[in-house]
Amino acid sequence: MIGQLIGRLEQTGLELNAEEIADVLWLANQIKQAAPESVQTEQASEQPIQPSTPTSPTSANVAQTPLSSSTSSREQPAVSAYSSDTIPESSSSDKSSPTPEGLPFKAPAAPALRNSLALARALRPLMRKVPSRTESVLDEEGTPRQIAEYQVWSPVLQPARERWLELVLVVEETRTTVVWQETIAEFQKLMERHGAFRNVYTWSLQTKTDGTPELFPFQQKKPQKVQTKQLSRSPRELLDATGRRLILLISDCISPLWWQGEIHKLLELWGNHVPVAVLQLLPEQLWERTVLGLGTSVQLGALAPGVLNSQLIESGLPIWHEEKPTMALKFPVVTLEPESLTEWARVVAGFGSVQTLGVLFEQNWKELVPKSPSPTPQQPTKPDLLVKRFHATASPLARKLAGFMAAAPVSLPVIHLIQQELLPESRQIHLAEIFMSGLLQFVQSHKPSQPERWQYKFVDGVREILLSSVRITEIDAVLEAVSQYIARKAGLQIKSFAALLAPNPNWDISTRQEVIPFAKIAMQVLRQLGEDYAALAEQLERTSQVIPEFSEESHNPPKILTFEFEVATVTIEAETETPLGINLQPFEFEVALIEVNKSAQITAGSFPEIVDEMIFTKTGKHLDDTERLILQGTLANQTYEQIAASTKYSARHLRNLALKLWEVLSEVLGEKVTKRNLQNVLKQWAARRRLSIHRHRQQAQEFIEDLGNGVQLEMVAIPSGSFVMGSPKDEPERHEWESPQHTVTIKSFFLGKYPVTQAQWQAVASLPQVNRELDPDPSRFKGKNRPVEQVSWYDAIEFCDRLSQHTGKPYRLPSEAEWEYACRAGTTTPFHFGETITSELANYRADYTYGAGVKGLSDNETTPVGSFGVANAFGLYDMHANVLEWCADHWHSNYEGAPTDGSTWLNNDNDYRYSVMRGGSWLDDPELCRSASRNLYVRAERGNLDLNIGFRVACGVGRTE
């Protein structure tokens, strides 16, 4: 089937690389497995589901109870399983309480896990296979060889290959976890279908009424009549002595189990036997509000695959730690971001050259616990102080979402509807901020086993304060969105939200149950708005004689009067265009920063012990004496004959043993290892450990110029600001022509996200000529997405002139000051990456190093723009290396007399021969790729040297000096 699929792809003319084909197969697998679920949904609601029992011999303890991927369903009320005060219960949450504010319907929503493909790619380092310890297969080559050589007519067996790890997901269930319910479910399905793990098991971690943890296997949802009560299980059932299991605890780290240290005990127990990590649902900027804020952030690495938490190597400890803390608990912390999962997966796989973020808790960490981590009913907080604290710490989207929520009943379906219809850019993290704030109280639900029906209400007085910060038009939009959904669900025809405020006496019971809570809140909101809205609320209250409470037992509802009214809608159109008539749109990108780990020095003399640890982690066996001799002899540049002289074995036997050793090392290190390259591979591996690359995502704005035939030019908005131009005297390998340093103030402008590509060059070269002809294909290294090269300064000027004439916008080359300002993007280090550069992030001559950098692999030609996947803080790619970039300025031997306003610096001589180039290229040493580095070249010449010279365009009104 795979062959047929690839054949069809080839017939379509698509040229897909290996990674793209893998993604197609992954997507096909997702569709194939997801299809039966939609077909069988109705049947599953009628019949008990028989979960499958794992058969892996390595998971015997877990296999005693069926595990599945659905939410836990217990007979006892779900609320009684919690003692968390993060969301306090309302004092009125008893059986006689009025109809809750929430609405029992489920709103449609976008997928909670929006980057599932990227997450799946991030876990590829774990997709290795190892010899099975229980299953064997026929050795098809060894069997006939044995028969031919030894006349032994019996099969030769070898261990079967199987997936290296099995995954155990432990989901901590609290009242705040309902916010992440869909995210967790989608992540769970992704792990089950990923293919990296032999088995994926899911457990539920809950809190007993006495505040202690209890563990349950997840149970698939069943009809109410067939639900079975489960007994809690021992946490030791998750242990595995083979080292072939991985535990991932999914939590937001704010429950009492965390504050009281109960989960720390579980992590310590599990971490002494299997690798354990915490999947933190909250983003890193919110960790200070959780228990993780009481620990110390560290970087964790491993020299071999499957290393236990206690054996992870930590770095980045604060300076007050003079020595390694004793009796400390440490564990990796990952988030649902591809970068975080990639780093963690590579550490688990023992790549050695990467580190992942972790937290270290010292023995006395409880002394830092505040007396009251969250407001409780016994310790009430004034509503104005609650809202003030929330506004001081919450993100803008969370504040806006809270204001919208104040205009409607509070339940998860209603919140999801508001997010989808009115605030689509908001995500679960913004809702989590509100749940963590203490603004909400939990109201006892009539359906405790169904979190989507749980009800919440704002603390008394909070709703009114939140509404005061929301525009009336926005409140109208909230009421309109919720009321229209209710109307559609109930089969009603209404023209505006006010039509639901006076229920019709002919409505049935289910319709009134949905309308009344909305009407109660809506009238409260109208009174808060004042003026005409308050008058409308009073009129409704008089005509309807106050909306009565209603329950399923009521059979004689009061008569409801109707009235007519007129609604006006005011639309305000915001100004969204720049002075150039450009519509900007946001885009996201990844920024990388390089950290030099000075403590990660590894000497060549320690290689045998390090290799021994790698082999032990991989096979469970240490190197024997003969293997050690092979390793030591190879590192000493001895031949197999020389090594054999000190043993009783022949050189041929040692060579066969060595081939197996190199094969294992190749799998451990992730690259081919031979006797010839062993020293270089180990040295490069040790060197890479000195550098850590930290990645995070940012956002900027751009506009896109359509050049026709699917070719686009992306122009990034560069904000105005000031910077110090040039290099300081203590910057390594600087030059005098980068002096003197001087402050320059730059006005906002636009700059190409990438160097001009060959596709963009060809599109503009086909436009009408302005001053000179252009070669439509001047580049030596062909590729539409590669940067154009072998272009002169005058060629670049002609490109800008044609583009300006075609679009009506002032395109030009950037000034030298604009280029350096854009390259630095607020940094003062030699590179916007930091103090050094690596071939993992840029295309330069990587057999040379800069500062504390390490040697890498060189491409020896240009690479497609943006192929390294990282930009600077402004959102610009390839500012260091790939191709040199022309600037508009004439060359000057220093900055004496240079303009300080960012304008182009020209001489009086219009025929001046030399102009400035910036950024370095694929054939330049790293020192020439620094932000401050500058070079010159003859404007008009095009020779062999300028196969590394390109350019990027600026847009905006520039000036000359």
Side-chain angles (χ1 to χ4, degrees):
M1 181 175 292
I2 294 176
Q4 293 176 356
L5 176 59
I6 295 176
R8 291 182 180 180
L9 291 174
E10 292 176 348
Q11 292 175 6
T12 62
L14 296 176
E15 296 182 359
L16 302 181
N17 57 33
E19 183 176 20
E20 291 168 337
I21 292 175
D23 290 341
V24 170
L25 296 176
W26 179 87
L27 178 60
N29 184 54
Q30 295 287 321
I31 297 173
K32 179 180 178 182
Q33 298 192 40
E37 295 181 3
S38 60
V39 176
Q40 298 173 2
T41 301
E42 187 174 14
Q43 299 175 356
S45 64
E46 299 174 357
Q47 299 178 358
I49 299 175
Q50 301 298 330
S52 60
T53 302
T55 59
S56 172
T58 61
S59 55
N61 291 338
V62 183
Q64 295 172 3
T65 297
L67 304 174
S68 69
S69 62
S70 299
T71 308
S72 176
S73 178
R74 305 174 59 199
E75 260 189 1
Q76 60 201 62
V79 177
S80 66
Y82 303 103
S83 59
S84 170
D85 291 324
T86 304
I87 301 180
E89 290 191 13
S90 169
S91 57
S92 61
S93 59
D94 53 26
K95 293 182 179 180
S96 62
S97 63
T99 304
E101 298 176 358
L103 300 177
F105 63 80
K106 195 167 185 177
L113 209 59
R114 303 179 185 179
N115 54 352
S116 58
L117 178 56
L119 295 179
R121 287 175 174 172
L123 294 176
R124 284 179 180 172
L126 302 179
M127 296 184 68
R128 61 172 60 184
K129 288 189 175 183
V130 296
S132 173
R133 299 179 180 180
T134 58
E135 296 182 12
S136 300
V137 295
L138 179 67
D139 187 346
E140 297 180 357
E141 295 182 1
T143 299
R145 186 183 304 115
Q146 175 178 270
I147 295 173
E149 294 180 4
Y150 303 103
Q151 299 300 310
V152 178
W153 292 78
S154 63
V156 176
L157 300 179
Q158 62 180 0
R161 304 288 290 181
E162 64 180 12
R163 291 297 182 193
W164 172 35
L165 292 171
E166 63 184 17
L167 177 66
V168 176
L169 300 176
V170 180
V171 181
E172 187 191 15
E173 295 192 67
T174 66
R175 290 190 196 123
T176 57
T177 314
V178 299
V179 177
W180 308 99
Q181 181 176 325
E182 296 176 7
T183 302
I184 294 172
E186 292 183 20
F187 179 77
Q188 183 182 353
K189 288 183 179 180
L190 178 63
M191 294 301 96
E192 292 173 344
R193 298 171 179 174
H194 187 276
F197 308 105
R198 296 197 312 278
N199 297 295
V200 177
Y201 304 141
T202 307
W203 292 69
S204 170
L205 180 64
Q206 301 178 7
T207 309
K208 292 194 290 189
T209 54
D210 62 357
T212 58
E214 55 183 356
L215 202 63
F216 300 88
F218 258 27
Q219 181 179 339
Q220 287 187 336
K221 280 189 176 181
K222 300 179 181 181
Q224 185 98 15
K225 295 181 181 180
V226 297
Q227 288 181 359
T228 58
K229 184 175 181 179
Q230 299 185 65
L231 296 177
S232 61
R233 308 284 284 274
S234 170
R236 291 187 173 274
E237 290 192 33
L238 272 60
L239 304 182
D240 178 36
T242 65
R244 303 274 297 278
R245 179 174 294 166
L246 204 58
I247 297 180
L248 200 57
L249 173 61
I250 304 177
S251 172
D252 52 16
C253 306
I254 61 175
S255 71
L257 288 180
W258 281 96
W259 293 104
Q260 295 164 10
E262 295 294 335
I263 288 186
H264 295 70
K265 298 176 184 177
L266 294 178
L267 291 174
E268 185 173 13
L269 170 65
W270 294 334
N272 288 333
H273 296 83
V274 295
V276 180
V278 172
L279 176 58
Q280 168 61 276
L281 297 168
L282 297 172
E284 190 171 353
Q285 63 266 27
L286 297 181
W287 290 3
E288 286 297 325
R289 306 189 202 175
T290 72
V291 179
L292 298 183
L294 303 181
T296 302
S297 295
V298 294
Q299 292 293 321
L300 300 176
L303 299 178
V307 171
L308 301 180
N309 286 16
S310 58
Q311 299 173 0
L312 292 172
I313 302 173
E314 69 267 5
S315 62
L317 287 171
I319 58 175
W320 57 83
H321 283 296
E322 296 182 358
E323 57 183 13
K324 180 179 177 180
T326 58
M327 302 297 291
L329 170 68
K330 58 187 175 185
F331 51 86
V333 181
V334 297
T335 60
L336 285 174
E337 297 295 335
E339 303 78 17
S340 177
L341 281 177
T342 298
E343 292 176 353
W344 170 68
R346 289 167 67 89
V347 168
V348 173
F351 277 35
S353 59
V354 295
Q355 292 179 310
T356 186
L357 181 63
V359 175
L360 184 146
F361 283 89
E362 297 189 56
Q363 194 173 17
N364 62 343
W365 71 271
K366 281 192 176 182
E367 298 174 5
L368 304 176
V369 178
K371 294 182 179 180
S372 178
S374 59
T376 64
Q378 291 74 26
Q379 297 173 328
T381 304
K382 294 183 179 180
D384 56 338
L385 296 179
L386 268 176
V387 177
K388 185 177 181 180
R389 183 176 61 183
F390 171 68
H391 281 171
T393 58
S395 63
L397 277 176
R399 295 197 295 267
K400 193 167 186 178
L401 178 59
F404 286 177
M405 287 168 56
V410 184
S411 68
L412 287 178
V414 172
I415 297 170
H416 291 162
L417 177 67
I418 292 174
Q419 286 183 286
Q420 177 179 306
E421 297 294 333
L422 303 175
L423 209 59
E425 63 272 28
S426 66
R427 300 176 65 183
Q428 289 92 336
I429 58 173
H430 306 110
L431 181 55
E433 291 184 70
I434 300 173
F435 271 70
M436 294 168 59
S437 65
L439 300 178
L440 295 173
Q441 288 180 324
F442 178 74
V443 180
Q444 177 71 50
S445 171
H446 296 292
K447 298 286 186 181
S449 62
Q450 302 179 23
E452 68 274 8
R453 292 177 177 263
W454 290 0
Q455 316 300 327
Y456 306 87
K457 74 172 186 177
F458 284 103
V459 173
D460 292 342
V462 167
R463 186 188 297 273
E464 291 76 10
I465 298 174
L466 290 176
L467 285 173
S468 64
S469 62
V470 184
R471 297 176 183 174
I472 292 178
T473 54
E474 292 176 330
I475 294 176
D476 282 346
V478 174
L479 295 173
E480 189 69 25
V482 177
S483 64
Q484 291 294 339
Y485 187 89
I486 295 172
R488 290 195 301 270
K489 187 174 185 299
L492 304 176
Q493 296 293 329
I494 62 170
K495 294 183 179 180
S496 71
F497 72 88
L500 283 179
L501 301 187
N504 190 300
N506 297 323
W507 290 349
D508 57 24
I509 292 177
S510 61
T511 301
R512 293 181 189 180
Q513 283 182 311
E514 294 182 354
V515 170
I516 289 176
F518 167 77
K520 288 170 62 66
I521 297 299
M523 290 179 63
Q524 178 183 349
V525 172
L526 291 176
R527 294 191 193 95
Q528 175 73 14
L529 296 180
E531 299 180 353
D532 295 340
Y533 290 92
L536 174 60
E538 292 178 4
Q539 179 184 359
L540 290 170
E541 189 171 12
R542 288 195 302 270
T543 55
S544 62
Q545 299 178 358
V546 182
I547 297 177
E549 308 302 342
F550 191 83
S551 65
E552 294 184 13
E553 290 76 19
S554 300
H555 299 287
N556 298 308
K559 183 177 180 181
I560 305 298
L561 302 178
T562 60
F563 70 101
E564 293 184 355
F565 52 88
E566 186 176 284
V567 176
T569 302
V570 179
T571 303
I572 301 176
E573 295 185 359
E575 181 67 36
T576 60
E577 295 191 349
T578 68
L580 290 173
I582 297 171
N583 290 315
L584 295 178
Q585 57 190 39
F587 71 97
E588 286 192 352
F589 53 91
E590 186 176 85
V591 176
L593 299 176
I594 301 174
E595 178 186 5
V596 179
N597 304 319
K598 297 181 180 179
S599 62
Q601 300 290 342
I602 298 177
T603 63
S606 62
F607 283 154
E609 294 303 321
I610 293 174
V611 171
D612 179 66
E613 184 179 352
M614 292 178 178
I615 300 298
F616 175 75
T617 305
K618 184 66 180 176
T619 65
K621 298 180 181 179
H622 288 286
L623 293 173
D624 59 29
D625 293 340
T626 306
E627 291 169 331
R628 282 181 176 273
L629 284 174
I630 293 173
L631 184 63
Q632 292 170 352
T634 301
L635 293 173
N637 294 320
Q638 292 181 339
T639 65
Y640 288 121
E641 287 74 13
Q642 291 172 324
I643 300 173
S646 59
T647 70
K648 61 181 180 181
Y649 300 106
S650 66
R652 180 179 180 182
H653 179 73
L654 293 182
R655 184 178 288 105
N656 291 335
L657 291 178
L659 290 177
K660 295 180 180 179
L661 182 60
W662 309 148
E663 182 179 347
V664 174
L665 273 176
S666 298
E667 191 170 355
V668 170
L669 294 173
E671 58 183 297
K672 182 69 174 177
V673 176
T674 64
K675 185 178 187 298
R676 179 174 297 181
N677 72 353
L678 175 65
Q679 283 204 42
N680 289 334
V681 169
L682 289 177
K683 286 179 180 179
Q684 290 180 12
W685 170 84
R688 287 195 298 268
R689 283 190 50 78
R690 296 206 305 268
L691 300 184
S692 296
I693 301 176
H694 304 283
R695 303 169 188 262
H696 63 277
R697 298 195 68 78
Q698 290 189 193
Q699 191 177 82
Q701 290 188 310
E702 66 176 355
F703 75 86
I704 298 177
E705 195 77 78
D706 188 357
L707 303 181
N709 296 323
V711 180
Q712 295 180 329
L713 176 65
E714 297 170 87
M715 299 295 295
V716 177
I718 308 299
S720 59
S722 298
F723 79 111
V724 177
M725 187 174 181
S727 61
K729 292 184 178 181
D730 59 349
E731 184 167 298
E733 303 185 58
R734 68 182 296 272
H735 298 283
E736 285 302 317
W737 48 80
E738 300 165 14
S739 300
Q741 282 190 292
H742 56 291
T743 300
V744 180
T745 300
I746 303 292
K747 292 184 178 181
S748 60
F749 67 105
F750 297 94
L751 190 64
K753 181 186 289 187
Y754 310 103
V756 170
T757 66
Q758 294 175 36
Q760 294 165 347
W761 175 269
Q762 291 169 7
V764 174
S766 65
L767 297 175
Q769 177 178 328
V770 177
N771 292 311
R772 59 189 282 130
E773 294 182 358
L774 290 179
D775 182 348
D777 189 17
S779 303
R780 173 180 174 182
F781 303 114
K782 305 300 183 184
K784 291 184 177 181
N785 288 325
R786 292 195 188 207
V788 67
E789 21 92 1
Q790 295 199 107
V791 293
S792 70
W793 184 87
Y794 288 110
D795 291 335
I797 294 296
E798 175 69 14
F799 180 95
C800 295
D801 291 343
R802 294 192 190 187
L803 186 58
S804 300
Q805 180 175 275
H806 176 70
T807 63
K809 300 184 183 72
Y811 282 97
R812 56 184 175 82
L813 289 178
S815 70
E816 187 178 7
E818 286 176 331
W819 193 98
E820 184 172 333
Y821 172 74
C823 177
R824 290 186 179 278
T827 63
T828 58
T829 49
F831 308 89
H832 65 68
F833 302 127
E835 297 290 344
T836 188
I837 190 171
T838 169
S839 61
E840 294 182 46
L841 301 177
N843 177 20
Y844 63 97
R845 195 175 177 185
D847 48 350
Y848 289 84
T849 63
Y850 182 87
V854 299
K855 293 184 179 181
L857 300 176
S858 300
D859 290 287
N860 296 320
E861 59 184 45
T862 60
T863 50
V865 297
S867 58
F868 290 89
V870 293
N872 67 7
F874 283 163
L876 301 172
Y877 292 78
D878 296 336
M879 295 299 288
H880 297 304
N882 209 6
V883 288
L884 283 158
E885 298 179 15
W886 285 115
C887 292
D889 305 59
H890 289 158
W891 170 258
H892 296 81
S893 59
N894 56 48
Y895 289 139
E896 295 289 347
T900 59
D901 59 359
S903 58
T904 302
W905 192 13
L906 302 177
N907 294 331
N908 294 328
D909 184 3
N910 292 330
D911 295 327
Y912 190 74
R913 294 185 62 196
Y914 300 100
S915 275
V916 178
M917 299 182 303
R918 286 296 201 125
S921 74
W922 60 269
L923 57 74
D924 287 323
D925 297 350
E927 66 181 82
L928 300 178
C929 302
R930 293 173 296 116
S931 299
S933 178
R934 51 199 300 262
N935 213 328
L936 76 160
Y937 197 64
V938 179
R939 291 182 172 195
E941 292 185 7
R942 290 178 52 205
N944 292 332
L945 286 179
D946 54 1
L947 55 84
N948 65 327
I949 301 177
F951 68 102
R952 73 178 73 211
V953 295
C955 183
V957 180
R959 295 185 298 163
T960 60
E961 187 71 20

